[in-house]
């Protein structure tokens, strides 16, 4: 085989989570009472915009979660195939120029020369102290050709072709909606253009055009320039930013999966049964809250590091070693971050257990499990949904902080935290190397902002009190 599939633990959990999400979507589609809140999410402009942005991040994360090792060239007489120790992903293949075009050291965004001066020997034998040209960025330019005019021309041509493709999509959408709604194409076009349709199709089309313009122009220009510059070892910062997306998504999603069952079970049990069960659960999360979370995380990561150093034979590649540390970090973060949601669910359950419909169900002989399943849990889901998305945002930021202080993901794994950690010394240079920190900040900010906007829309859709006022 030309490649050998590699299944990391986080990859397996991501595939399982993806299967669960697909199953949940199919389950919700067959139940009108569950489908109605999600339809409400899709009718909100903020919800549509945040979903489209999050889908772009998820697509990059999924491409970066398919790992494999490439076969090494061997003699035809050899029957044994040897594979490289370097683990690649589908994302690496998709952005291969970014990965391979490594410069000597720092370069600014869209630069054609290095950021630092060097001594170089001219053709006439004299020594010049100047900025040497980059090996790859701008190498297609002819002598005397202006860089910015080339960039402007490329952006205009690419944008024109994309606009034509977008118009084709617009026409196809009009034809499909007119046929589905049994209306005329003129009325459908007017509803979309003036925003009078039930769903925000105009917002979808405008956002689609903006995303296509951004993605396609980045793809074309990144093969000719380093759009976000290069770091100290000459690696493209845009490549690092894209590779960091999977790390942030894994931290946010897998940690939530560890935290959510504990918070749900403990919070509902403490609030509904009260008595000694409530006392024990309160004692557990109060004791856990009294211990600084950073110290627990640091101690757990250091213990794992000792184990990995003593058992190197358990990890064939560097990627497997880094993945184990990432998985362990997700588990530790989940075990230390469930207390806040547990406390909220306990207080809400204490209030719901005294509601009239719960008292009526108990008077009619309904058991505790039936009441919890039919009356308590559905009225807590809006809190759970908003907490999941907000915790996801907090965990993405927590990874950056933990990696900055040295107890986060493995240094060999590309992440926003490691980018910020490596940029702290660059900020002390003169002139300042600012682009690594800016790239990590903007990508994190966009992901967290989209997640928070999505959380607001989901809260409004699932909160029974909000539904009652609509």
């Amino acid at each position: 085989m030309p490649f050998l599939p590699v299944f990391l633990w986080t990859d397996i959990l991501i595939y399982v989570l993806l299967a669960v999400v697909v199953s949940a979507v199919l389950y919700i589609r067959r139940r009108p009472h569950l489908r109605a809140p999600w339809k409400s999410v899709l009718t909100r402009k903020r919800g549509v915009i945040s979903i489209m942005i999050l889908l772009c991040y998820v697509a990059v994360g999924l491409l970066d979660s398919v790992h494999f090792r490439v076969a090494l060239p061997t003699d035809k007489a050899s029957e044994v195939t040897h594979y490289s120790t370097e683990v690649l992903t589908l994302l690496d293949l998709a952005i291969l120029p970014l990965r391979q075009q490594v410069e000597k050291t720092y370069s600014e965004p869209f630069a054609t020369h290095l950021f630092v001066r060097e001594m170089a020997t001219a053709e006439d034998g004299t020594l010049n102290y100047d900025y040497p040209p980059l090996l790859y960025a701008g190498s297609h330019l002819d002598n005397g050709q202006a860089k910015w005019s080339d960039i402007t021309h490329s952006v205009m041509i690419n944008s024109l072709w994309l606009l034509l493709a977008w118009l084709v999509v617009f026409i196809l959408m009009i034809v499909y909606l007119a046929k589905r709604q049994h209306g005329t194409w003129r009325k459908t076009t007017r509803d979309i253009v003036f925003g009078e349709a039930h769903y925000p199709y105009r917002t979808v089309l405008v956002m689609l055009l903006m995303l296509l313009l951004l993605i396609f122009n980045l793809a074309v220009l990144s093969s000719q320039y380093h759009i976000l510059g290069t770091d100290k070892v000459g690696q493209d910062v845009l490549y690092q930013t894209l590779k960091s997306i999977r790390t942030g998504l894994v931290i946010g999603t897998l940690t939530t999966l560890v935290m959510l069952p504990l918070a749900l079970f403990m919070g509902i049990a403490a609030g509904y049964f009260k008595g000694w069960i409530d006392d024990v659960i309160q004692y557990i999360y109060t004791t856990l809250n009294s211990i600084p979370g950073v110290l627990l995380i640091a101690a757990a990561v250091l213990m794992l590091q000792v184990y990995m150093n003593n058992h190197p034979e358990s990890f064939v590649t560097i990627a497997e070693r880094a993945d184990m540390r990432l998985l362990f970090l997700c588990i530790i973060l989940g075990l230390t971050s469930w207390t806040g949601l547990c406390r909220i669910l306990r207080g809400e359950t204490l209030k719901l257990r005294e509601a009239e419909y719960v008292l009526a169900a108990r008077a009619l002989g309904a058991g505790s499990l039936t009441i919890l399943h039919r009356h308590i849990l559905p009225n807590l889901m809006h809190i759970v949904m908003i907490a999941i998305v907000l915790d996801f945002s907090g965990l993405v930021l927590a990874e950056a902080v933990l990696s900055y202080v040295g107890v986060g993901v493995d240094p060999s794994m590309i992440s926003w935290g490691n980018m910020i950690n490596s940029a702290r010394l660059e900020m002390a240079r003169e002139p300042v190397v600012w682009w690594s920190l800016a790239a990590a900040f903007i990508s994190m900010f966009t992901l967290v902002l989209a997640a928070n906007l999505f959380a607001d829309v989901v809260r409004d859709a699932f909160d029974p009190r909000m539904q009652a006022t609509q």
Side-chain angles (χ1 to χ4, degrees):
M1 294 178 62
F3 61 90
L4 177 66
V6 177
F7 296 99
L8 304 178
W9 280 107
T10 53
D11 292 342
I12 296 173
L13 292 176
I14 288 174
Y15 302 152
V16 172
L17 178 61
L18 183 62
V20 170
V21 170
V22 172
S23 302
V25 170
L26 296 177
Y27 180 82
I28 290 172
R29 289 187 61 184
R30 294 193 296 265
R31 283 157 178 79
H33 69 285
L34 297 177
R35 192 168 63 245
W38 288 108
K39 279 189 175 181
S40 175
V41 172
L42 295 177
T43 57
R44 303 284 296 276
K45 295 181 181 180
R46 285 185 303 164
V48 170
I49 293 174
S50 58
I51 287 174
M52 295 180 71
I53 295 175
L54 290 175
L55 285 178
C56 293
Y57 276 88
V58 170
V60 174
L62 291 177
L63 286 176
D64 204 21
S65 298
V66 182
H67 291 83
F68 56 89
R69 294 162 59 187
V70 180
L72 297 175
T74 56
D75 298 334
K76 295 182 179 180
S78 177
E79 297 181 355
V80 180
T81 303
H82 298 280
Y83 296 93
S84 172
T85 58
E86 185 180 15
V87 179
L88 302 178
T89 65
L90 291 181
L91 181 64
D92 292 323
L93 296 182
I95 55 176
L96 193 60
L98 295 181
R99 181 175 173 272
Q100 292 181 340
Q101 296 178 0
V102 179
E103 306 291 349
K104 188 174 182 180
T105 184
Y106 297 113
S107 65
E108 288 183 302
F110 291 105
T112 57
H113 292 73
L114 287 179
F115 189 65
V116 294
R117 293 184 178 184
E118 292 183 354
M119 293 295 297
T121 304
E123 295 180 356
D124 57 358
T126 59
L127 293 177
N128 295 327
Y129 186 60
D130 201 358
Y131 301 99
L134 297 176
L135 298 176
Y136 302 99
S139 60
H140 65 288
L141 298 175
D142 298 330
N143 293 331
Q145 184 178 359
K147 173 185 64 176
W148 291 111
S149 63
D150 175 69
I151 295 175
T152 304
H153 179 264
S154 178
V155 169
M156 291 179 63
I157 295 299
N158 298 332
S159 301
L160 180 61
W161 283 108
L162 270 178
L163 185 59
L164 293 176
W166 178 82
L167 288 175
V168 172
V169 174
F170 183 31
I171 294 172
L172 292 177
M173 177 178 287
I174 292 175
V175 173
Y176 172 76
L177 292 177
K179 183 177 180 181
R180 182 180 179 182
Q181 299 172 0
H182 304 288
T184 62
W185 65 271
R186 292 183 179 179
K187 182 179 183 305
T188 304
T189 304
R190 185 174 61 254
D191 292 342
I192 293 177
V193 172
F194 293 99
E196 298 176 356
H198 180 65
Y199 292 100
Y201 296 115
R202 183 178 62 180
T203 304
V204 173
L205 289 170
V206 173
M207 194 65 192
L208 179 63
L209 177 61
M210 295 175 62
L211 290 175
L212 289 177
L213 288 173
L214 176 63
I215 294 172
F216 194 74
N217 281 302
L218 283 178
V220 174
L221 291 177
S222 61
S223 63
Q224 302 171 347
Y225 300 94
H226 298 293
I227 296 178
L228 299 180
T230 57
D231 63 359
K232 185 176 182 179
V233 297
Q235 193 174 45
D236 195 283
V237 175
L238 178 59
Y239 173 77
Q240 296 180 359
T241 305
L242 294 175
K243 293 287 288 184
S244 301
I245 291 177
R246 177 184 181 272
T247 306
L249 293 178
V250 167
I251 289 285
T253 54
L254 297 188
T255 303
T256 303
L257 292 181
V258 176
M259 173 266 296
L260 188 59
L262 285 172
L264 273 175
F265 177 76
M266 296 286 193
I268 295 177
Y272 184 79
F273 295 105
K274 298 199 298 186
W276 66 271
I277 297 178
D278 187 19
D279 294 337
V280 171
I281 294 175
Q282 284 192 73
Y283 177 79
I284 292 174
Y285 68 65
T286 303
T287 304
L288 192 58
N289 277 337
S290 64
I291 305 173
V294 176
L295 294 182
L296 286 177
I297 295 170
V301 170
L302 291 176
M303 286 190 297
L304 177 65
Q305 193 69 34
V306 171
Y307 172 80
M308 292 192 298
N309 292 336
N310 294 333
H311 301 82
E313 69 280 357
S314 301
F315 308 97
V316 179
T317 61
I318 298 177
E320 294 180 5
R321 180 187 178 96
D323 184 76
M324 179 56 66
R325 179 164 172 172
L326 176 62
L327 177 61
F328 200 72
L329 181 63
C330 293
I331 296 174
I332 296 302
L333 283 173
L335 293 177
T336 57
S337 59
W338 61 272
T339 56
L341 180 58
C342 177
R343 193 191 303 268
I344 296 174
L345 293 179
R346 173 185 174 273
E348 190 70 15
T349 305
L350 284 172
K351 181 179 69 174
L352 291 175
R353 76 184 302 274
E354 303 299 333
E356 294 180 355
Y357 55 87
V358 175
L359 296 177
R362 189 180 297 118
L364 293 173
S368 297
L369 293 179
T370 302
I371 294 175
L372 291 174
H373 174 67
R374 293 186 177 181
H375 301 291
I376 302 296
L377 186 59
N379 287 284
L380 295 176
M381 287 310 298
H382 67 283
I383 298 177
V384 174
M385 294 296 297
I386 187 70
I388 287 176
V389 185
L390 290 179
D391 286 344
F392 170 83
S393 304
L395 291 168
V396 171
L397 299 177
E399 181 275 325
V401 175
L402 293 174
S403 297
Y404 178 77
V405 299
V407 293
V409 300
D410 193 83
S412 64
M413 176 173 286
I414 302 176
S415 70
W416 290 318
N418 284 336
M419 290 178 63
I420 295 173
N421 187 30
S422 62
R424 60 177 178 174
L425 297 179
E426 299 171 355
M427 298 297 292
R429 289 173 54 95
E430 181 59 38
V432 176
V433 179
W434 52 268
W435 44 89
S436 293
L437 181 63
F441 171 77
I442 292 173
S443 54
M444 273 197 306
F445 172 79
T446 305
L447 176 60
V448 172
L449 179 62
N452 287 342
L453 291 176
F454 181 67
D456 290 340
V457 178
V458 169
R459 178 198 59 195
D460 296 341
F462 280 85
D463 191 347
R465 290 168 294 184
M466 296 295 295
Q467 296 176 5
T469 58
Q470 293 178 353

